[in-house]
Every structure is written in structure tokens, then in C-alpha cells.
Amino acid sequence: DTAVSQTPKYLVTQMGNDKSIKCEQNLGHDTMYWYKQDSKKFLKIMFSYNNKELIINETVPNRFSPKSPDKAHLNLHINSLELGDSAVYFCASSRNLGATNEKLFFGSGTQLSVL
Amino acid sequence: AQSVTQLDSQVPVFEEAPVELRCNYSSSVSVYLFWYVQYPNQGLQLLLKYLSGSTLVKGINGFEAEFNKSQTSFHLRKPSVHISDTAEYFCAVRSEGGGAQKLVFGQGTRLTINP
């Protein structure tokens, strides 16, 4: 079974649309994350979510909003999509937030293309 | 704040040849260092990490890395590569006091193994 799974794998949409990417982890982890990988392959954290506490990277536009119905799920909603939102989005999880040697488990990514 | 520079965006090598992927970091405080690997169409997986102790760290699949504090480097090496090592490799750093959400990634090095 896949530890961290996200859907869809590919998402092609028009500018201005609203879309969601779903993420689920079956590892029993307390913390989940969303990362954005741009065209130059830089990976930047967007959000971390731990015990109902949301930590937001201040550079993320408020058109992006994570929603966690339960500890095993962290979905990413994007409103009014822009061309610059085109990227690969990775979901990840870890046992908790602050452990010294914390290891991240990543999903396989969602490639978002905004036309 | 920490930053990571991976000096080579692409490294082509022949099968069974040795390889070194270079990583330099910048930080004003003590850090933990990581190498993640991303195989095609998959999420990132932890390859190895340096937290403290011996500066030579061994990871999965025969990879190792050496922490050099004076040169602020954490280069990844393998004495003999296989076709299956073809992947994207990411160096990452975070401060000792920072949680997993503080992990900063480099821009990746694409390792291509030629037969």
C-alpha cells in the first residue's frame, strides 16, 4: 500500500478556475505538508499541519488553502488559478513536527498545468 | 536562514563508474543535513542524513556522504553506480532547532547512468 498518496497525478485547467488536490497518508503520522516544486525544481514548503495547527509559509498567496478533514488527510484547494501556479505539488507527512531526526515521506506529486 | 546549493544540475556517468554529487550549504547556526532521492514518477525518499557524530554517513543503496564543516559541504558519493540509480537527488538542510517544516531543499541534481 502506498504510504502517502495524492490525486490526481496530472491536472490541466484554465486560468481562473478553482481546483483541489487530495492527499492521504496511512502511516498514522501527526503532521502533513504541502510542497511546491517549480520549473527549476526548487522545492519550497507551502504549509505544515499538525494537530489542527496550521503553519503557513508567508510567501504563499491566500488563494491557496489547505483543508484537513482528519489527521490522515490534507487537501489543497486553489482558487482563481494563475499561470504561475503551474508546478508540481507534493504532499508529505512525518510522525510529528519537532523531532530531531524527523523523516519526511512524500507522495508522488501532482503536476498542475494552468493554461 | 539556511540555504543549499547543488553545484551540478545534471551529472551523466557510465554504469559502474564512481560518482560524486556536490552540495554546499550556508547557515549561521548548527545544521542537520539530508539527501533525498526522487526516482522517476515517484515522491522523494530519504537516502541518508547527518545529525551528529561521525562525519561519514552511510545510506541506502550504497550511497554515502561526508559532512565537512569547514567547507560547509555535504557531498554524496557512490563508488560504483547502476542503471537503477538514475534519479533526481536533492540535498536539504535545516537548523538544529528547527522542525521538519524548516527543511530547505537544493534545486536537485539529475543523475543519469549510461550503459
Side-chain angles (χ1 to χ4, degrees):
Chain A
D1 283 345
T2 305
V4 181
S5 59
Q6 51 183 111
T7 55
K9 191 169 178 62
Y10 300 98
L11 183 54
V12 181
T13 188
Q14 301 285 336
M15 264 197 320
N17 284 351
D18 304 335
K19 289 293 179 184
S20 296
I21 306 172
K22 295 185 177 181
C23 179
E24 176 182 3
Q25 53 96 2
N26 62 6
L27 298 166
H29 287 170
D30 286 339
T31 308
M32 296 183 73
Y33 311 81
W34 277 105
Y35 282 82
K36 178 181 180 180
Q37 186 179 43
D38 64 23
S39 58
K40 295 184 179 180
K41 294 183 293 181
F42 275 107
L43 259 174
K44 292 184 179 175
I45 190 162
M46 302 176 72
F47 307 100
S48 61
Y49 197 87
N50 179 68
N51 249 354
K52 300 186 180 180
E53 181 189 6
L54 177 65
I55 302 174
I56 303 171
N57 182 325
E58 60 274 9
T59 65
V60 175
N62 58 14
R63 297 180 296 102
F64 290 79
S65 58
K67 294 205 180 354
S68 180
D70 53 59
K71 200 172 77 166
H73 297 83
L74 184 66
N75 304 323
L76 182 65
H77 296 269
I78 316 170
N79 294 324
S80 302
L81 277 156
E82 301 178 357
L83 292 176
D85 298 332
S86 296
V88 181
Y89 292 85
F90 287 98
C91 177
S93 73
S94 64
R95 280 180 304 170
N96 54 56
L97 198 59
T100 299
N101 58 350
E102 203 48 68
K103 174 180 171 181
L104 292 171
F105 292 78
F106 283 82
S108 55
T110 295
Q111 185 164 330
L112 172 64
S113 299
V114 182
L115 307 177
Chain B
Q2 291 76 45
S3 67
V4 179
T5 301
Q6 291 182 241
L7 298 162
D8 306 296
S9 59
Q10 297 186 57
V11 173
V13 296
F14 287 106
E15 197 172 14
E16 298 183 8
V19 69
E20 179 179 81
L21 306 184
R22 296 181 292 168
C23 172
N24 285 89
Y25 69 93
S26 171
S27 176
S28 57
V29 298
S30 296
V31 295
Y32 299 135
L33 293 153
F34 306 80
W35 275 98
Y36 278 81
V37 58
Q38 182 181 18
Y39 296 107
N41 299 314
Q42 295 185 28
L44 282 74
Q45 304 172 37
L46 183 65
L47 202 55
L48 49 78
K49 60 189 175 188
Y50 170 79
L51 303 178
S52 65
S54 172
T55 57
L56 183 63
V57 179
K58 294 190 184 300
I60 61 173
N61 299 338
F63 282 93
E64 63 181 31
E66 186 155 21
F67 170 56
N68 188 318
K69 189 174 182 180
S70 62
Q71 296 185 9
T72 60
S73 68
F74 190 54
H75 301 333
L76 181 70
R77 296 192 290 259
K78 186 170 181 178
S80 175
V81 295
H82 301 119
I83 292 283
S84 59
D85 293 324
T86 295
E88 195 86 32
Y89 292 80
F90 292 90
C91 184
V93 63
R94 66 176 174 90
S95 63
E96 283 188 356
Q101 82 279 13
K102 299 290 187 182
L103 200 60
V104 175
F105 286 88
Q107 70 270 43
T109 296
R110 180 177 295 275
L111 177 62
T112 304
I113 312 300
N114 299 307

